Amino acid sequence: MTVTRFAPSPTGYIHVGNLRTALMNFLIAKKAGGEFILRIDDTDPERSKQEYVDAIQEDLEWLGLTWDRIEHQSSRLDRYAAAADELREKGRFYEAFETPTELDLKRKKQLNMGLPPVYDRAALKLSDDEVAALRAERGQGVWRFKLDHQRIEWTDGILGELSIDAASVSDPVLIRQDGQVLYTIASVVDDTDMGVTHVVRGSDHVTNTATQIQIMSALGHTAPNFAHHSLLTGPQGEALSKRLGTLALRDLREAGVQPIALLSHMARLGSSQPIELVETIDELAEGFDLTQFGSAPTKFDVDDLYPLTARYLHGLPLSAVADQVSALGVPADLAETFWTIARANITTLHDLPGWWALFRDGATPLVADEDREFVAEAFAMLPEPPYSADTWSTWTSAVKEATGRKGKGLFMPLRKAVTGLERGPEMADVMTLLQKKPSL
């Protein structure tokens, strides 16, 4: 069975970059009829917050990305400890005591000598007495995984054939000095214990993947299928990280972006397939193809979400927004007409109140000085509401007869005076919804 996972850290709100990873893993499992696991990476007790755990679940539910089961890494610490013990027994885990300053000096020295800045494994040369002395002086050390210095190769689901020389990578720290288990080993243990078959994540994890493949092998497991998607940039190619504060999923929801518009965009962004609005997540999953994605950085522009949102809203029946329309105070007998007219002229549902305010209270007239006298005369010829679908044609015909104006010179000043807008819905439709007679 196909099993995928999304493993966010509950240290903040998830944003579009996180969503890309979540969505790809979700769609792979959905398409295969497999299992999608939500795995909360909460091994850091200082930074992990329950409010963010709740927010992650809320955001995914808003999008319809439902998980088959949820796991918390904080409840699996005994499994990570057991894996660490196994690596120690196999001679693949060792304690190191260098301070960050000492490591930094080593790296600078290596770079000056033209060498790769990787950990020199000095800790492996320590005698038992030296280890005891360092523990007494500095406390517990960090625990590093001893890499086999050979090439690590795998076929990546997006990047193709990849090969990394383990000698060019530092032995990864798997347990910090304070005993905190780090992502690298927690993820390995979870992926193997939970039978994860496919892992899609950002291309910034490629080196992580190489080391994790070796850790899995050392623990007697076969690695899942890995794929690394490109990282998102801003519309000009700038680093998106500087703008992620405004691209949290809850901010997009607050801005009126519709879930299926966001999913339609993100499921194709960076692929060779055209971005198209779909109606359901099932439809997205059916057309999802990981091999269509490329390795180049992918430009994301939040403004691209609004035309898709508008297109989605344009196709909605009144029943889908009945509560919002009713909350505006639109009379039940006008609701269908109001929504039919408004939906073709809004970008998000946040635009609805403005349209009802126009129909209920009237607009601030947009009248050129040279048209003021003409508009005043025309308004004098307009009866009090209610108006019908024939009111506009009857009224403008009478105004034409009285003033001699015709064509654009007749219709445009009246549209701008009634609606305060230069363009918009058919005026015959507008008149049926006006609750007050327009006035200057």
Side-chain angles (χ1 to χ4, degrees), residues 8-228:
S9 299
T11 55
Y13 298 118
I14 56 176
H15 50 70
V16 289
N18 307 131
L19 170 60
R20 194 154 193 242
T21 300
L23 181 58
M24 287 182 169
N25 285 290
F26 175 86
L27 293 176
I28 287 169
K30 181 87 171 169
K31 185 173 184 176
E35 183 178 51
F36 175 64
I37 301 170
L38 174 59
R39 197 165 75 210
I40 304 299
D41 179 358
D42 56 356
T43 56
D44 184 342
E46 296 265 320
R47 298 175 63 227
S48 298
K49 301 279 188 290
Q50 184 60 41
E51 66 183 282
Y52 294 129
V53 176
D54 297 340
I56 287 165
Q57 295 181 67
E58 188 182 294
D59 288 341
L60 293 178
E61 285 171 342
W62 170 63
L63 289 166
L65 303 185
T66 50
W67 49 93
D68 296 293
R69 64 191 241 235
I70 186 168
E71 299 278 356
H72 293 80
Q73 290 188 322
S74 58
S75 67
R76 293 176 46 77
L77 299 179
D78 58 333
R79 283 292 301 122
Y80 310 143
D85 287 341
E86 186 177 339
L87 291 175
R88 284 188 194 95
E89 288 168 15
K90 292 180 174 178
R92 301 298 295 277
F93 218 23
Y94 64 94
E95 196 172 6
F97 296 89
E98 289 88 353
T99 66
T101 302
E102 288 168 345
L103 289 172
D104 192 45
L105 287 171
K106 285 187 180 189
R107 279 192 291 268
K108 285 176 178 171
K109 186 175 179 182
Q110 288 167 318
L111 287 169
N112 287 337
M113 295 170 65
L115 299 171
V118 299
Y119 180 61
D120 61 6
R121 292 182 165 177
L124 285 173
K125 303 182 184 75
L126 297 173
S127 67
D128 290 347
D129 289 344
E130 287 171 321
V131 168
L134 283 166
R135 276 197 190 137
E137 178 194 339
R138 301 184 177 186
Q140 294 295 316
V142 300
W143 284 87
R144 290 180 179 269
F145 175 72
K146 184 183 175 187
L147 289 163
D148 276 338
H149 282 174
Q150 59 190 34
R151 296 206 76 82
I152 304 167
E153 299 176 342
W154 75 95
T155 303
D156 192 272
I158 292 175
L159 302 177
E161 299 300 322
L162 288 184
S163 174
I164 289 182
D165 182 2
S168 68
V169 180
S170 291
D171 288 344
V173 174
L174 303 189
I175 300 177
R176 286 195 336 192
Q177 194 171 18
D178 61 4
Q180 186 193 322
V181 176
L182 295 182
Y183 164 86
T184 312
I185 189 168
S187 183
V188 161
V189 174
D190 291 344
D191 286 343
T192 52
D193 280 4
M194 297 173 192
V196 171
T197 59
H198 293 74
V199 175
V200 185
R201 54 191 182 185
S203 56
D204 52 337
H205 281 286
V206 167
T207 303
N208 263 347
T209 294
T211 59
Q212 286 180 323
I213 286 172
Q214 268 211 17
I215 297 169
M216 287 177 178
S217 178
L219 291 170
H221 300 292
T222 304
N225 296 294
F226 284 103
H228 296 83

Side-chain angles (χ1 to χ4, degrees), residues 31 72 124 159 238 264 273 299 321 325 379 406 429:
K31 185 173 184 176
H72 293 80
L124 285 173
L159 302 177
E238 72 274 22
S264 295
Q273 297 173 290
K299 293 180 180 178
V321 293
V325 170
F379 277 180
K406 58 185 178 181
D429 295 329

Side-chain angles (χ1 to χ4, degrees), residues 283-347:
E283 194 180 334
L284 264 190
E286 190 57 42
F288 185 71
D289 185 353
L290 203 59
T291 65
Q292 299 295 308
F293 288 83
S295 59
T298 301
K299 293 180 180 178
F300 171 82
D301 189 343
V302 70
D303 290 343
D304 292 337
L305 300 175
Y306 293 102
L308 287 170
T309 289
R311 204 175 312 154
Y312 170 74
L313 294 176
H314 294 175
L316 284 186
L318 173 64
S319 57
V321 293
D323 290 346
Q324 290 97 319
V325 170
S326 175
L328 293 175
V330 180
D333 60 324
L334 293 179
E336 189 74 55
T337 306
F338 169 72
W339 174 243
T340 301
I341 292 170
R343 70 179 175 184
N345 293 278
I346 60 174
T347 300

Side-chain angles (χ1 to χ4, degrees), residues 227-238:
H228 296 83
H229 60 69
S230 60
L231 300 182
L232 296 180
T233 72
Q236 311 306 313
E238 72 274 22

